[in-house]
Amino acid sequence: MTVLLVATDDEAALLRERIHHNRHFRVISHTPSPRLALAQAHVLLPDVTVLDPSMHGDSDPAALFLGLRSLAPPSGVILRTTPATAVLPELHAVLEEGAVHLAARDDQDALMNALITIGRRRESCDPDQ
């Protein structure tokens, strides 16, 4: 399964290391910019995109999410949250659209569980809708 990270370089390095512990997942690219992430996703068609609160705010999070979900096949989305980001109004708009997996930023097991859940759905031909 291919993974696109939307996070700062420092956070992406930590995430990459954690994700690569499972041989079924490979990070194919990362960027801190939601706008660039969407452009990369159109070219790379990642199976999963991980959005971290450290990403730069140059785009509307709901627009990024909808763009990722409009790909064919749609990218699974994992949104890492902190107590501060869990209450953002933009997050609620994204959650109403469905098919997003939440993982607390400090819970590495939640991240891996979300990746595995998306992987199992892809394996069963369920596009995580």
Side-chain angles (χ1 to χ4, degrees):
M1 303 274 311
T2 59
V3 180
L4 172 64
L5 300 176
V6 186
T8 61
D9 291 342
D10 293 338
E11 190 63 27
L14 296 171
L15 289 170
R16 181 184 305 266
E17 182 179 332
R18 175 71 177 163
I19 291 168
H20 284 178
H21 278 284
N22 185 316
R23 64 184 176 91
H24 298 288
F25 300 99
R26 285 290 157 241
V27 174
I28 55 174
S29 186
H30 82 270
T31 179
S33 164
R35 187 175 304 153
L36 291 176
L38 190 53
Q40 287 180 355
H42 279 282
V43 174
L44 301 172
L45 296 174
D47 295 306
V48 182
T49 303
V50 177
L51 308 177
D52 188 80
S54 69
M55 65 183 165
H56 296 161
D58 67 350
S59 177
D60 175 17
L64 172 60
F65 175 76
L66 293 173
L68 292 169
R69 296 300 299 161
S70 70
L71 298 173
S75 179
V77 178
I78 300 172
L79 182 60
R80 298 181 75 217
T81 62
T82 65
T85 60
V87 296
L88 293 176
E90 298 88 0
L91 176 60
H92 295 290
V94 167
L95 292 175
E96 289 173 5
E97 294 297 325
V100 62
H101 299 264
L102 296 179
R105 190 175 192 206
D106 58 352
D107 185 352
Q108 297 303 321
D109 290 334
L111 172 64
M112 293 311 295
N113 288 338
L115 284 168
I116 290 167
T117 298
I118 293 170
R120 286 184 178 146
R121 286 184 179 156
R122 293 284 170 126
E123 180 182 59
S124 68
C125 298
D126 179 356
D128 197 31
Q129 294 184 12

